[in-house]
């Protein structure tokens, strides 16, 4: 039997307590709340399946679910694809100091409010905005970009892209250089080196980056509301709408639990894929 | 060693440091006592109700500090009340349909109508406004201001005549340019008026079915569903050329800044929002809260509520309106608060063109919200 290591426990305990108080506890409360009832605009403790019945039988809930899932997957794919060339350049074509500065600059957007950054897109994407004004000079447009899916994706990129670039850069920079050199010495063309050597070597980091983009987009309220015009609403918007319907927090909890379960499934699948050894079953 | 301005040398020795620290510690209770004289009033209200333009003069005159907690939509107000311990808030500023829930749940204290100029109210309905009084005729919530919801529009895209019917939302030139304020009550209330329901919130199931059908037909025209910030930005940058579910309380702010937008009560009628103040039963500062309520009904207080920078409203007292006309004629004219004006709000009520906003009477609130979610997803 292993002895309890007091030294290790001292360092591990705070994070365990933190998670228990601020994650596990609220999570269980949220699950419990999904069975409560609302009477006369007040939540009443109960154990009834009415909220689950109600929410799972509504088409609009499923419409929102599939739309949110698809949108988050699209955001994850777009962020990964757009970030990759930049991350590749930073990892393999830049000096150490340029990489350091680039990562610093990528962190800077997080210093400002995401809401403010989102609202600033109004000036750029509006029909009377910067992009359409530029396109107008060459006889194009105006195009509607705000209150569309495109607007939502732009918002998601504002949230996720810097993080994805950073994670991809770190991951690519950590790939075993000797493997890359070996493939080049053996006459492997550049594109094949990328697909056969670099991508598998950096697989874990790339998948984790995509996973972060998915998680952030799936739970984001701001971009689909302010840049997508809530048209159609995503699950986070549905949560807000539900609470506006006579204090239906238990039904909002049902939506939140559905979101949590989805995120757990996606995250575990991604982690499994990220750490799966080649050839293993 | 540091040098004073007079030239003498100040030695920062251990002793002087200890003496200074001890003096600071010993004087702290007196400093605290001086601060304690300022009464903190915690206000739960719509945005702007506890900003300096609204409460600054009262704060200064009474050594009060307002601490606001803002919400948007009555349900969020109820949520804030439920999520905070009793005694957190002293004053609640809310709409009539939610004030009646506060009264039903016995959350607010009874008020004495004799403390307020009830005989100077501009309309007889205001004196016994539904939702502000309990079934036994006791006053619990004090009316403070009101406004009308109708068709809000971009003047470069629509004329006032075109905007004078809810049917304008279906005009081909507005395809994708009609926005909704993202709250089911005002938008569905307006659709109910368009469907010919004299009392838009008290409709039977057949009429409710017709309202849903009519609303659903508007979907191809809709450009988005917005909160206050989004509504404001959408109208300002021209992304939305007409808005359903709002009125002068949004366009008035933009109009003051010179934006080409306006609101009109259409021929099918408009919906009135009516705001009031209540004092929370558990408040420990009831005296000061009562004083503030009296202030909001004074002519000065009424002018401030009409001019509120957060969003404009109409005075409810004759003396308030008279002072507004004297002090800010431009705003009185802009908002129609002048007798004989074509959009004079009291005349609109007298002409039967205004319905007071309410929660659904014959359906559950959640039925309306369910439909709203379906509509947004359609």
């Amino acid at each position: 039997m292993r002895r309890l290591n007091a030294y290790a426990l001292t360092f591990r305990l705070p994070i365990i307590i933190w998670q228990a108080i601020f994650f596990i506890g609220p999570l269980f409360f949220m699950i419990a709340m999904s069975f409560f009832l609302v009477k006369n605009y007040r939540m009443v403790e109960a154990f009834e399946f009415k909220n689950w019945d109600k929410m799972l039988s509504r088409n609009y809930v499923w419409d929102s679910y599939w739309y949110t899932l698809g949108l988050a997957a699209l955001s994850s794919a777009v962020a990964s694809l757009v970030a990759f060339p930049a991350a590749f350049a930073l990892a393999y074509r830049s000096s150490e100091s340029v990489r350091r500065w680039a990562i610093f600059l990528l962190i800077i957007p997080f210093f400002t409010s995401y809401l403010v950054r989102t609202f600033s897109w109004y000036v750029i994407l509006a029909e009377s905005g910067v992009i359409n004004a530029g396109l107008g000079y060459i006889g194009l447009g105006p195009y509607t970009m705000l209150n569309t899916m495109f607007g939502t994706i732009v918002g998601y990129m504002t949230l996720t892209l810097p993080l994805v670039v950073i994670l991809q850069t770190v991951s690519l920079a950590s790939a075993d250089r000797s493997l890359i050199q070996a493939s080049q010495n053996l006459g492997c063309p550049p594109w094949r080196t990328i697909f056969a050597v670099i991508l598998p070597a950096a697989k874990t980091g790339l998948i984790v980056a995509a996973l972060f983009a998915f998680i952030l987009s799936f739970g984001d309220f701001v971009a689909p509301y302010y840049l997508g015009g809530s048209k159609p609403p995503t699950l986070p918007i549905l949560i807000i709408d539900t609470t506006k319907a006579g204090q239906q927090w238990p039904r909002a909890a049902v939506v939140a639990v559905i979101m949590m379960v989805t995120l757990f499934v996606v995250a575990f699948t991604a982690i499994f894929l990220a750490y799966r050894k080649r050839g293993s079953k | 060693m540091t040098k004073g301005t007079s030239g003498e040398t100040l030695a920062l020795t251990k002793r002087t440091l200890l003496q200074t620290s001890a003096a600071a510690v010993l004087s702290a209770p007196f400093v605290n006592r001086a601060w304690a004289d300022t009464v903190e009033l915690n206000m739960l209200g719509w945005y702007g109700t506890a900003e300096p333009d609204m409460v600054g003069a009262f704060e200064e005159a009474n050594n009060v500090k307002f601490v606001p907690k803002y919400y948007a939509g009555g349900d969020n107000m109820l949520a804030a009340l439920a999520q905070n311990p009793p005694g957190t808030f002293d004053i609640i500023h809310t709409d009539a349909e939610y004030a009646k829930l506060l009264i039903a749940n016995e959350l607010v204290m009874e008020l004495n109508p004799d403390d307020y100029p009830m005989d100077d109210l501009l309309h007889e309905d205001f004196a016994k406004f539904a939702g502000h009084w309990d079934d036994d005729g006791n006053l619990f919530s004090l009316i403070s201001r009101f406004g009308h919801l109708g068709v809000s529009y971009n003047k470069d895209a629509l004329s006032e005549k075109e905007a004078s019917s809810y049917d304008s939302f279906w005009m081909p030139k507005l395809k994708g340019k009609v926005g909704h304020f993202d709250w089911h009550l005002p938008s569905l209330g307006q659709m109910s008026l368009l469907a010919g329901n004299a009392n838009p919130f008290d409709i039977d199931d057949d009429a409710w079915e017709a309202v849903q059908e009519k609303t659903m037909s508007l979907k191809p025209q809709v450009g988005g569903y917005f909160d206050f910030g989004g509504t404001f930005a959408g109208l300002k940058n021209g992304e939305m050329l007409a808005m359903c579910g709002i009125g002068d309380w949004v366009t008035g702010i933009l109009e003051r800044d010179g934006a080409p937008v306006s609101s009109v009560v259409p021929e099918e009628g408009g919906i009135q929002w009516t705001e009031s103040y209540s004092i929370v039963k558990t408040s420990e500062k009831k005296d000061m809260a009562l004083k503030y309520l009296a202030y909001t009904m004074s002519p000065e207080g009424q002018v401030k509520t009409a001019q509120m920078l957060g969003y404009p409203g109409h005075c409810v007292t004759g003396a308030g309106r008279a002072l507004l006309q004297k002090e800010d004629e431009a705003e009185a004219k802009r908002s129609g608060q002048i007798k004989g004006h074509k959009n004079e709000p009291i005349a609109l009520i007298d002409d039967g063109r205004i319905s007071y906003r309410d929660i659904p009477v014959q359906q559950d609130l959640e039925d309306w919200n369910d439909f709203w979610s379906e509509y947004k997803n359609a």
Side-chain angles (χ1 to χ4, degrees):
Chain A
M1 198 173 147
R2 286 179 63 184
R3 280 187 60 206
L4 204 62
N5 184 335
Y7 179 78
L9 200 63
T10 307
F11 286 95
R12 286 175 193 164
L13 210 52
I15 190 70
I16 293 169
I17 293 170
W18 178 274
Q19 289 288 83
I21 294 174
F22 294 108
F23 180 69
I24 310 285
L27 183 65
F28 277 111
F29 179 70
M30 190 174 69
I31 293 168
M33 194 165 75
S34 71
F35 298 100
F36 289 3
L37 294 176
V38 173
K39 286 181 181 164
N40 206 13
Y41 291 84
R42 297 212 141 192
M43 219 158 40
V44 179
E45 285 177 27
F47 189 75
E48 303 263 356
F49 287 85
K50 281 182 183 169
N51 303 312
W52 286 89
D53 269 356
K54 167 101 182 172
M55 297 310 276
L56 296 181
S57 62
R58 289 290 180 275
N59 286 336
Y60 66 79
V61 175
W62 291 109
D63 289 345
S64 279
Y65 180 79
W66 294 117
Y67 180 68
T68 312
L69 197 69
L71 213 54
L74 180 65
S75 166
S76 178
V78 171
S80 298
L81 290 174
V82 171
F84 188 76
F88 187 87
L90 287 172
Y92 298 119
R93 298 277 185 269
S94 310
S95 66
E96 187 64 31
S97 70
V98 168
R99 196 184 309 153
R100 259 203 306 269
W101 273 104
I103 288 175
F104 173 68
L105 291 173
L106 284 164
I107 290 170
I108 282 184
F110 295 107
F111 295 175
T112 58
S113 155
Y114 169 48
L115 193 62
V116 172
R117 280 182 283 148
T118 301
F119 264 101
S120 68
W121 279 109
Y122 274 54
V123 182
I124 300 163
L125 298 180
E127 284 182 23
S128 54
V130 177
I131 292 177
N132 274 314
L135 290 171
Y137 281 118
I138 51 171
L140 295 173
Y143 297 105
T144 302
M145 289 177 275
L146 281 177
N147 308 315
T148 62
M149 190 201 280
F150 174 77
T152 304
I153 292 293
V154 168
Y156 283 158
M157 291 306 105
T158 308
L159 179 67
T160 63
L161 201 54
L163 183 68
V164 174
V165 174
I166 292 169
L167 290 173
Q168 285 192 356
T169 303
V170 172
S171 174
L172 290 171
S174 314
D176 190 348
R177 305 266 171 156
S178 60
L179 289 175
I180 300 167
Q181 281 168 359
S183 77
Q184 285 167 345
N185 291 341
L186 290 168
C188 194
W191 63 268
R192 201 160 170 216
T193 302
I194 292 173
F195 283 100
V197 179
I198 295 175
L199 285 184
K203 185 182 75 174
T204 303
L206 298 180
I207 291 177
V208 168
L211 176 63
F212 267 102
F214 183 91
I215 291 170
L216 290 173
S217 304
F218 192 72
D220 182 37
F221 164 79
V222 173
Y225 198 80
Y226 290 105
L227 298 177
S230 186
K231 200 181 68 157
T234 55
L235 289 178
I237 296 172
L238 188 62
I239 288 179
I240 302 283
D241 285 354
T242 309
T243 61
K244 283 184 198 167
Q247 291 294 291
Q248 281 297 348
W249 290 89
R251 286 182 193 162
V254 170
V255 180
V257 172
I258 292 171
M259 289 181 74
M260 290 295 292
V261 170
T262 305
L263 285 176
F264 274 123
V265 171
V266 170
F268 280 117
T269 307
I271 298 296
F272 170 74
L273 291 173
Y275 288 97
R276 189 178 60 164
K277 293 276 185 289
R278 189 180 279 188
S280 65
K281 284 185 180 176
Chain B
M1 300 269 276
T2 53
K3 205 162 175 96
T5 48
S6 55
E8 80 274 28
T9 301
L10 294 175
L12 188 63
T13 62
K14 199 184 283 178
R15 180 169 297 182
T16 52
L17 182 67
L18 283 171
Q19 282 170 343
T20 312
S21 304
V25 168
L26 289 171
S27 63
F30 300 101
V31 174
N32 281 342
R33 200 159 300 159
W35 277 103
D37 288 338
T38 301
V39 178
E40 269 193 1
L41 277 180
N42 291 284
M43 164 103 84
L44 180 60
W46 280 84
Y47 177 74
T49 47
E51 291 299 297
D53 65 287
M54 186 63 210
V55 298
F58 182 82
E59 282 182 330
E60 206 171 309
N62 296 282
N63 196 18
V64 174
K65 176 78 191 147
F66 274 81
V67 181
K69 161 82 179 164
Y70 293 131
Y71 68 84
D75 277 281
N76 290 334
M77 179 272 293
L78 294 173
L81 272 180
Q83 287 158 7
N84 287 282
T88 302
F89 303 109
D90 301 299
I91 299 176
I92 301 175
H93 164 261
T94 191
D95 297 285
E97 63 269 36
Y98 287 92
K100 75 176 165 193
L101 297 176
L102 297 177
I103 299 168
N105 284 296
E106 299 180 355
L107 294 169
V108 292
M109 66 174 263
E110 189 181 340
L111 304 171
N112 181 1
D114 295 339
D115 293 344
Y116 312 104
M118 304 303 269
D119 51 359
D120 188 33
L121 290 171
L122 285 165
H123 197 279
E124 58 185 355
D125 286 357
F126 296 173
K128 279 278 179 186
F129 203 80
H132 294 169
W133 302 70
D134 70 1
D135 295 338
D136 299 327
N138 301 311
L139 178 68
F140 283 84
S141 200
L142 183 66
I143 190 166
S144 67
R145 62 186 202 145
F146 69 103
H148 294 151
L149 310 176
V151 175
S152 297
Y153 62 101
N154 185 310
K155 290 193 274 193
D156 294 337
L158 286 182
S159 66
E160 185 176 338
K161 195 177 170 201
E162 284 176 312
S164 292
S165 168
Y166 292 117
D167 280 326
S168 61
F169 291 141
W170 279 263
M171 289 171 84
K173 66 178 174 182
L174 294 184
K175 192 171 175 63
K177 296 290 177 189
V178 176
H180 274 290
F181 184 61
D182 193 6
W183 187 22
H184 50 95
L185 276 186
S187 281
L188 294 178
Q190 290 186 339
M191 291 297 114
S192 184
L193 283 171
L194 177 59
N197 300 308
N199 190 345
F201 300 98
D202 189 1
I203 55 176
D204 63 24
D205 287 349
D206 288 342
W208 170 229
E209 197 67 40
V211 167
Q212 293 177 68
E213 207 172 301
K214 188 68 185 170
T215 308
M216 213 42 116
S217 73
L218 183 60
K219 182 72 189 182
Q221 298 290 102
V222 175
Y225 306 82
F226 309 98
D227 67 355
F228 181 65
T231 301
F232 199 79
L235 276 171
K236 192 171 186 178
N237 62 24
E239 288 289 317
M240 294 298 122
L241 299 178
M243 287 291 299
C244 184
I246 60 162
D248 188 63
W249 72 279
V250 176
T251 55
I253 306 167
L254 295 166
E255 218 174 0
R256 284 170 182 171
D257 290 343
V261 293
S262 192
S263 293
V264 63
V265 172
E267 61 202 34
E268 297 90 353
I271 289 172
Q272 177 169 313
W273 53 265
T274 315
E275 291 175 349
S276 62
Y277 288 103
S278 311
I279 298 174
V280 183
K281 234 177 192 173
T282 51
S283 168
E284 290 172 0
K285 298 147 196 168
K286 290 190 178 85
D287 288 346
M288 190 54 81
L290 281 165
K291 202 170 179 184
Y292 182 68
L293 261 58
Y295 171 75
T296 64
M297 289 298 272
S298 69
E300 295 77 19
Q302 279 288 294
V303 169
K304 292 210 179 295
T305 119
Q307 293 173 319
M308 197 172 92
L309 293 177
Y311 58 101
H314 300 317
C315 298
V316 292
T317 67
R321 180 185 274 204
L323 189 62
L324 177 74
Q325 289 167 356
K326 192 176 158 198
E327 287 192 349
D328 192 352
E329 195 186 348
E331 177 58 17
K333 273 185 182 162
R334 191 203 63 75
S335 57
Q337 295 184 79
I338 286 175
K339 207 159 193 175
H341 192 286
K342 61 178 176 167
N343 292 323
E344 202 275 302
I346 301 299
L348 289 173
I349 299 172
D350 286 336
D351 292 347
R353 290 179 61 195
I354 298 298
S355 304
Y356 301 132
R357 198 174 63 201
D358 204 345
I359 48 179
V361 178
Q362 297 186 44
Q363 293 81 33
D364 283 339
L365 185 63
E366 67 182 78
D367 292 337
W368 281 46
N369 189 67
D370 265 358
F371 170 69
W372 188 246
S373 293
E374 273 166 31
Y375 173 56
K376 285 170 74 177
N377 262 299

